[in-house]
Amino acid sequence: MKQWLKDAVFYEIYPQSFYDTNGDGIGDLKGIIEKLDYIKELGCNALWINPCFDSPFKDAGYDVRDYKLIAPRYGTNADAKALFEAAHAKGIHVLLDLVPGHTSEEHAWFKESSKPEKNEYSDRYIWTDSCFSAGDGMPFIGGETDRNGTYILNFFKCQPALNYGYGKCREKWQMPTDAPGPRATVEAVKDVMRFWLDMGCDGFRVDMASSLVKNDTHHKKYTCAIWRDIAAMLDKEYPEAALLSEWNQPRQSLKNGFDMDFMLEWQGNGYSWLMRNYDGAIDSDPHNIGKAYFCADSGTGIDKFLDDWLPSYKATRKDGLYCLITCNHDTIRPSAGLTPDELKIAYAMLFTLPGAPFVYYGDEIGMRYLPLPTKEGGYFRTGSRTPMQWDNSANKGFSTAAADKLYLPVDDAADAPTVAAQQADPDSLWHTVQGVLNFRHSHRDLDSDAPFHVRFAPKAKGSYRPFAWERGKLICAVNPAREEAELPLKLEDGTRVLHVIGKAEVKGDELVLGAQSFAILG
Ligand code: GLC
Ligand code: CA
C-alpha cells in the first residue's frame, strides 16, 4: 500500500467544466491550478482529472488522438507540468485518466493500421481478415478503410479496440496475448505511462480496465496478467505511482496490480441502493425517486448495500482499496434524488467507510443534474457535466465568455448552489463535507486501509434503519430516518460524541441518534 493513499481524499475534475481562465468558455489546466487552494481547503488532497489529451471529443476525450499531447483547448504540456508542480507544492497528488482499451479513430496508430500495406501498426488494433467478416460477437466496422478487413470496436463507433489479443482464439485473425502485436500494445501503453510519470503525475485512473483481452472468459485471466506486468513495471520504476481501475470487481483488479478500484453505480447494485435506487438512469429522467437508503422516507435498511459491498471489501482489504464515490462523470448526480440534508449524512458515511473517497466536482455544494441535450457523446451523462458554480457573478463565476459560448450552460436557477454562498453559511453542505474530511484527516483510525467492522445493522423492520460501524477505536453511526433512534451499542464508559451532523447523545451505553443524523464516537 502506497503511503500517500492512506490519507488520500480524491476530487474528480471534468476539465471542460471546472474553471475557465482565458474566457473561451471551456475549463483549462490553468483553471485547475488556480483552484488548488480551494480543493485543499475543502479537504481533498488528490485529483483525478478526466482525459485532457488531444482528441476529436466524440466521447468527451475518451477518444484519444494523441496520448502525449494536452488538448490545446485545455492548454499545453507545459501547463500540465506546472499543474503537477503546483499540486505537489500543496501536498496534492494528481492522477491522469489512462484510456488503454481504445483510441480515437483519428489516432495516428489507427491511420497507419488502416493501410493495406503491412507496417509497424498493422496489429495494433483488432482486424479481421476480410472486409466481409463479422467480429465474432464483438461490434465491428467494415467498409471504411483501404485495408481489407473489419475492425473491432471497444465502445462507441469512434473508438477502435487496441489489440491485446484473445484469451481463447476461435478465428484465424485472432491472436494469442503473447503474439508480437499484442505485446507491442502493452509496451506502447507503458511508454505513455512513463511519459506522464516522468513529467510528474502520480498515477492513473484506468478507463475500462477489464476490457483489454477479448474472449477472456476465465476470470479475466489474461487481462489480469497484463495488469500484473504493468504494475511490476511501476513498482520498479515508479514505486509511489498509484493505479486505480474502472472495473468494479476488486477481487480481480486489486489482486492483480491495482491499488484502488471503484464501486460504481449499476442499476440495482449495493451502491445504487444508497443514494439513487431509481431506474431510468439512462434516459435522463430518473424514476422512483425517494427509494434510496438515504431518503428520509424510503423505509429501507442498509442491508442491500452491505450484502454487495461487504464480501468484496473483506475479500480484498489486504490487497488494496475498494473506493466509494459521490458520483462521477457517467452517473446522475446524487442531488437528483436527495435533499441537502440527506446528502450531508450520505457523504459522511461514504467518507468514513474504508477506501479512499472520491468527491465529484460540484457535489460538495449539491450541484444539480440538468437534463440537457447530448454534448460530446455524453447523452444522459451530459446533465452531470455542467460548469462549476463558484459564485453569483456572470456564468456563476465559471467563465467570462458570453453565456452562449460556454461548453455547457450553467445552472441559472435563482437558488442554484454556489461555493461562495455555501462557504458563507456554516450549516451548508460544503461546510459539512469539509468538517467530515477534516475529522478524517486528523484520525488515523479513518485511514483508507484502517480496520472496519459492522457494529450494528439490523435488517430494516418498519422504520428502524440506523447503521453503526467501527473504525479502530472510533464508532460511526448514521440514522437516515425522520424519527430519533436508540442504538444499543453497548458503549464503554466515557464514550463521547466527537463529531456530529444533526443530533447525537450518549445515554448510558446507548447512542440516541436524532432524525437524519450522523455521529462519530470515541
Ligand atoms: C468509461 C468512461 C466513460 C467513457 C467510456 C469509454 O466508462 O468513464 O466516460 O465513455 O469509458 O471510454
Ligand atoms: Ca479556457
Coordinates of all heavy atoms in Angstrom, one line a residue, residues 55-107:
S55 N -7.9 15.2 -28.8 CA -9.0 14.3 -29.1 C -10.0 15.0 -30.0 O -10.1 16.3 -29.9 CB -9.7 14.0 -27.8 OG -10.9 13.4 -28.0
P56 N -10.7 14.3 -30.9 CA -11.8 15.0 -31.6 C -13.0 15.1 -30.7 O -14.1 15.6 -31.1 CB -12.1 14.0 -32.7 CG -11.4 12.7 -32.4 CD -10.4 13.0 -31.3
F57 N -13.0 14.6 -29.5 CA -14.1 14.8 -28.5 C -15.4 14.3 -28.9 O -16.4 14.9 -28.7 CB -14.1 16.3 -28.0 CG -12.9 16.7 -27.3 CD1 -12.0 17.5 -27.9 CD2 -12.6 16.2 -26.0 CE1 -10.8 17.8 -27.2 CE2 -11.5 16.6 -25.3 CZ -10.6 17.4 -25.9
K58 N -15.4 13.0 -29.4 CA -16.7 12.4 -29.7 C -17.2 11.6 -28.5 O -18.3 11.2 -28.4 CB -16.5 11.5 -30.9 CG -16.3 12.2 -32.2 CD -16.3 11.3 -33.4 CE -16.2 12.1 -34.7 NZ -15.9 11.2 -35.8
D59 N -16.3 11.4 -27.5 CA -16.7 10.8 -26.3 C -16.0 11.6 -25.1 O -15.3 11.0 -24.3 CB -16.3 9.3 -26.2 CG -16.8 8.7 -24.9 OD1 -17.7 9.3 -24.2 OD2 -16.4 7.5 -24.6
A60 N -16.1 12.9 -25.2 CA -15.6 13.8 -24.2 C -14.1 13.7 -23.9 O -13.7 14.0 -22.8 CB -16.4 13.7 -22.9
G61 N -13.3 13.1 -24.8 CA -11.9 12.9 -24.6 C -11.5 11.5 -24.3 O -10.3 11.2 -24.3
Y62 N -12.5 10.6 -24.1 CA -12.2 9.2 -24.0 C -11.9 8.6 -25.4 O -11.8 7.3 -25.5 CB -13.3 8.4 -23.3 CG -13.3 8.7 -21.8 CD1 -14.0 9.7 -21.2 CD2 -12.4 8.0 -21.0 CE1 -14.0 9.9 -19.8 CE2 -12.3 8.2 -19.6 CZ -13.1 9.2 -19.1 OH -13.0 9.5 -17.7
D63 N -11.8 9.4 -26.4 CA -11.4 9.0 -27.7 C -10.1 9.8 -28.0 O -10.1 10.9 -28.5 CB -12.5 9.4 -28.7 CG -13.0 10.8 -28.6 OD1 -13.0 11.3 -27.5 OD2 -13.4 11.4 -29.6
V64 N -9.0 9.2 -27.5 CA -7.7 9.9 -27.5 C -7.1 9.9 -28.9 O -7.0 8.8 -29.5 CB -6.7 9.3 -26.5 CG1 -5.4 10.0 -26.5 CG2 -7.3 9.4 -25.1
R65 N -6.6 11.0 -29.4 CA -6.0 11.1 -30.7 C -4.5 11.1 -30.5 O -3.7 10.7 -31.4 CB -6.5 12.4 -31.4 CG -5.9 12.5 -32.8 CD -6.7 13.6 -33.6 NE -6.9 14.8 -32.9 CZ -7.8 15.7 -33.2 NH1 -8.7 15.5 -34.2 NH2 -7.9 16.8 -32.5
D66 N -4.0 11.7 -29.4 CA -2.6 11.7 -29.1 C -2.4 11.6 -27.6 O -2.7 12.6 -26.9 CB -1.9 13.0 -29.7 CG -0.4 13.0 -29.5 OD1 0.1 12.2 -28.7 OD2 0.2 13.9 -30.2
Y67 N -1.9 10.5 -27.2 CA -1.7 10.2 -25.8 C -0.7 11.1 -25.1 O -0.7 11.3 -23.9 CB -1.3 8.8 -25.5 CG -2.3 7.7 -25.7 CD1 -2.2 6.8 -26.7 CD2 -3.3 7.6 -24.7 CE1 -3.2 5.8 -26.9 CE2 -4.3 6.5 -24.9 CZ -4.2 5.7 -25.9 OH -5.1 4.6 -26.0
K68 N 0.1 11.7 -25.9 CA 1.2 12.5 -25.3 C 1.1 14.0 -25.4 O 2.0 14.8 -25.2 CB 2.6 12.1 -25.8 CG 2.9 10.6 -25.5 CD 4.3 10.3 -26.0 CE 4.7 8.8 -25.6 NZ 6.0 8.5 -26.1
L69 N -0.1 14.4 -25.8 CA -0.3 15.9 -26.0 C -1.6 16.3 -25.3 O -2.6 15.8 -25.4 CB -0.5 16.1 -27.5 CG -0.6 17.6 -28.0 CD1 0.7 18.3 -27.7 CD2 -1.0 17.7 -29.5
I70 N -1.4 17.4 -24.5 CA -2.6 18.0 -23.8 C -3.4 18.6 -24.9 O -2.9 19.3 -25.8 CB -2.1 19.1 -22.8 CG1 -1.4 18.4 -21.6 CG2 -3.3 19.9 -22.3 CD1 -2.2 17.6 -20.7
A71 N -4.7 18.4 -24.8 CA -5.6 19.0 -25.8 C -5.4 20.5 -25.8 O -5.5 21.2 -24.7 CB -7.1 18.7 -25.5
P72 N -5.2 21.2 -27.0 CA -5.0 22.6 -27.0 C -6.1 23.4 -26.2 O -5.8 24.4 -25.6 CB -5.0 23.0 -28.5 CG -4.5 21.7 -29.1 CD -5.1 20.6 -28.3
R73 N -7.3 22.9 -26.2 CA -8.4 23.7 -25.6 C -8.2 23.7 -24.1 O -8.7 24.6 -23.4 CB -9.7 23.1 -25.9 CG -10.1 21.8 -25.3 CD -11.4 21.3 -25.9 NE -12.0 20.3 -25.0 CZ -13.2 19.7 -25.3 NH1 -13.9 20.0 -26.4 NH2 -13.7 18.8 -24.5
Y74 N -7.3 22.8 -23.5 CA -7.1 22.9 -22.1 C -5.7 23.5 -21.8 O -5.4 23.8 -20.6 CB -7.0 21.5 -21.5 CG -8.3 20.7 -21.7 CD1 -8.3 19.4 -22.1 CD2 -9.5 21.3 -21.3 CE1 -9.5 18.7 -22.3 CE2 -10.7 20.5 -21.5 CZ -10.7 19.3 -22.0 OH -11.8 18.6 -22.1
G75 N -4.9 23.7 -22.8 CA -3.6 24.3 -22.5 C -2.5 23.5 -23.2 O -2.7 22.9 -24.3
T76 N -1.3 23.4 -22.6 CA -0.1 22.8 -23.2 C 0.4 21.8 -22.2 O 0.1 21.7 -21.1 CB 1.0 23.9 -23.4 OG1 1.3 24.4 -22.1 CG2 0.4 25.0 -24.3
N77 N 1.4 21.0 -22.8 CA 2.1 20.1 -21.9 C 2.8 20.8 -20.8 O 2.9 20.3 -19.6 CB 3.1 19.2 -22.7 CG 2.4 18.1 -23.5 OD1 1.2 18.2 -23.7 ND2 3.1 17.1 -23.9
A78 N 3.3 22.0 -21.1 CA 4.0 22.8 -20.0 C 3.0 23.2 -18.9 O 3.3 23.2 -17.7 CB 4.6 24.1 -20.7
D79 N 1.7 23.4 -19.3 CA 0.7 23.7 -18.2 C 0.5 22.4 -17.4 O 0.3 22.5 -16.1 CB -0.6 24.0 -18.9 CG -0.6 25.4 -19.6 OD1 0.3 26.2 -19.3 OD2 -1.4 25.6 -20.5
A80 N 0.5 21.3 -18.0 CA 0.4 20.0 -17.2 C 1.5 19.9 -16.2 O 1.3 19.6 -15.0 CB 0.3 18.8 -18.1
K81 N 2.7 20.2 -16.7 CA 3.9 20.1 -15.8 C 3.7 21.1 -14.6 O 4.0 20.8 -13.5 CB 5.2 20.4 -16.6 CG 6.4 20.1 -15.8 CD 7.6 19.9 -16.8 CE 8.8 19.3 -16.1 NZ 9.8 20.4 -15.7
A82 N 3.3 22.3 -15.0 CA 3.1 23.3 -14.0 C 2.0 22.9 -13.0 O 2.1 23.1 -11.8 CB 2.7 24.7 -14.6
L83 N 1.0 22.2 -13.5 CA -0.1 21.7 -12.6 C 0.5 20.7 -11.6 O 0.2 20.7 -10.4 CB -1.2 21.1 -13.4 CG -2.3 20.3 -12.6 CD1 -2.9 21.2 -11.6 CD2 -3.3 19.8 -13.6
F84 N 1.3 19.7 -12.1 CA 1.9 18.7 -11.2 C 2.7 19.4 -10.2 O 2.6 19.1 -9.0 CB 2.7 17.7 -12.0 CG 2.0 17.0 -13.1 CD1 2.7 16.6 -14.3 CD2 0.6 16.7 -13.0 CE1 2.0 16.0 -15.3 CE2 0.0 16.0 -14.0 CZ 0.6 15.7 -15.2
E85 N 3.5 20.4 -10.6 CA 4.4 21.0 -9.6 C 3.6 21.8 -8.6 O 3.9 21.8 -7.4 CB 5.4 21.9 -10.4 CG 6.5 21.1 -11.0 CD 7.4 21.8 -12.1 OE1 7.1 23.0 -12.3 OE2 8.2 21.1 -12.7
A86 N 2.6 22.6 -9.1 CA 1.9 23.4 -8.1 C 1.1 22.5 -7.2 O 1.0 22.8 -6.0 CB 0.9 24.3 -8.9
A87 N 0.6 21.4 -7.7 CA -0.2 20.5 -6.8 C 0.7 19.9 -5.8 O 0.4 19.9 -4.6 CB -0.8 19.4 -7.7
H88 N 1.9 19.4 -6.2 CA 2.8 18.8 -5.2 C 3.3 19.8 -4.2 O 3.4 19.4 -3.0 CB 4.0 18.2 -6.0 CG 3.7 17.1 -6.9 ND1 4.5 16.6 -7.9 CD2 2.6 16.3 -7.0 CE1 3.9 15.6 -8.5 NE2 2.7 15.4 -8.0
A89 N 3.4 21.1 -4.6 CA 3.8 22.1 -3.6 C 2.8 22.2 -2.5 O 3.1 22.6 -1.4 CB 4.1 23.4 -4.3
K90 N 1.6 21.9 -2.8 CA 0.5 22.0 -1.8 C 0.1 20.6 -1.2 O -0.9 20.4 -0.6 CB -0.8 22.6 -2.5 CG -0.6 24.0 -2.9 CD -1.8 24.5 -3.7 CE -1.5 25.8 -4.5 NZ -1.1 26.9 -3.7
G91 N 0.9 19.6 -1.5 CA 0.6 18.3 -1.0 C -0.5 17.5 -1.6 O -1.2 16.7 -1.1
I92 N -0.7 17.9 -2.9 CA -1.8 17.3 -3.7 C -1.2 16.3 -4.8 O -0.3 16.7 -5.5 CB -2.7 18.3 -4.4 CG1 -3.4 19.2 -3.3 CG2 -3.7 17.7 -5.3 CD1 -4.2 20.4 -3.8
H93 N -1.7 15.1 -4.8 CA -1.3 14.2 -5.8 C -2.2 14.2 -7.0 O -3.4 14.5 -6.9 CB -1.2 12.7 -5.3 CG -0.1 12.5 -4.3 ND1 -0.2 12.9 -3.0 CD2 1.1 11.9 -4.5 CE1 1.0 12.5 -2.4 NE2 1.7 11.9 -3.3
V94 N -1.7 13.9 -8.2 CA -2.6 14.0 -9.4 C -2.6 12.7 -10.2 O -1.5 12.3 -10.7 CB -2.0 15.2 -10.3 CG1 -3.0 15.4 -11.5 CG2 -1.9 16.5 -9.6
L95 N -3.8 12.2 -10.4 CA -4.0 11.1 -11.3 C -4.5 11.6 -12.7 O -5.5 12.3 -12.7 CB -4.9 10.0 -10.8 CG -4.7 9.4 -9.4 CD1 -5.7 8.3 -9.2 CD2 -3.2 8.8 -9.3
L96 N -3.9 11.1 -13.7 CA -4.5 11.3 -15.1 C -5.4 10.2 -15.4 O -5.3 9.1 -14.8 CB -3.4 11.6 -16.1 CG -2.5 12.8 -15.9 CD1 -1.4 12.8 -16.9 CD2 -3.3 14.1 -15.9
D97 N -6.1 10.3 -16.5 CA -7.0 9.2 -17.0 C -6.3 8.5 -18.1 O -6.1 9.1 -19.2 CB -8.3 9.9 -17.4 CG -9.5 8.9 -17.2 OD1 -9.4 7.7 -17.5 OD2 -10.6 9.4 -16.8
L98 N -6.1 7.3 -17.9 CA -5.4 6.5 -19.0 C -6.5 5.6 -19.7 O -7.3 5.0 -19.0 CB -4.4 5.5 -18.4 CG -3.6 4.6 -19.3 CD1 -2.6 5.4 -20.1 CD2 -3.0 3.5 -18.6
V99 N -6.6 5.7 -21.0 CA -7.6 5.0 -21.8 C -6.9 3.9 -22.6 O -6.5 4.2 -23.7 CB -8.4 6.0 -22.7 CG1 -9.6 5.2 -23.3 CG2 -8.9 7.2 -21.9
P100 N -6.6 2.8 -22.0 CA -5.8 1.8 -22.7 C -6.6 0.9 -23.7 O -6.0 0.2 -24.5 CB -5.2 0.9 -21.6 CG -6.3 0.9 -20.6 CD -7.0 2.3 -20.7
G101 N -7.9 0.8 -23.6 CA -8.7 -0.1 -24.4 C -8.9 0.2 -25.8 O -9.1 -0.6 -26.7
H102 N -8.8 1.5 -26.1 CA -9.2 2.0 -27.4 C -8.6 3.4 -27.6 O -8.2 4.1 -26.6 CB -10.7 2.1 -27.6 CG -11.4 2.8 -26.5 ND1 -11.9 2.1 -25.4 CD2 -11.7 4.1 -26.2 CE1 -12.5 2.9 -24.6 NE2 -12.3 4.1 -25.0
T103 N -8.5 3.8 -28.9 CA -8.1 5.2 -29.2 C -9.2 5.8 -30.0 O -10.2 5.2 -30.2 CB -6.8 5.3 -30.0 OG1 -7.1 4.7 -31.3 CG2 -5.7 4.5 -29.4
S104 N -9.0 7.1 -30.4 CA -9.9 7.7 -31.4 C -9.6 7.0 -32.7 O -8.4 6.6 -33.0 CB -9.6 9.2 -31.4 OG -10.0 9.7 -32.7
E105 N -10.5 7.0 -33.6 CA -10.3 6.5 -35.0 C -9.3 7.5 -35.7 O -8.8 7.2 -36.8 CB -11.6 6.4 -35.7 CG -12.4 7.6 -35.8 CD -13.9 7.5 -36.1 OE1 -14.2 6.4 -36.6 OE2 -14.6 8.4 -35.9
E106 N -9.1 8.7 -35.1 CA -8.2 9.7 -35.7 C -6.7 9.6 -35.2 O -5.9 10.4 -35.5 CB -8.7 11.1 -35.5 CG -10.0 11.4 -36.2 CD -10.5 12.8 -36.0 OE1 -9.7 13.7 -35.7 OE2 -11.7 13.0 -36.2
H107 N -6.5 8.6 -34.3 CA -5.1 8.4 -33.8 C -4.2 8.0 -34.9 O -4.6 7.2 -35.7 CB -5.1 7.4 -32.6 CG -3.9 7.4 -31.8 ND1 -2.7 7.0 -32.3 CD2 -3.7 7.7 -30.5 CE1 -1.8 7.1 -31.3 NE2 -2.4 7.6 -30.2

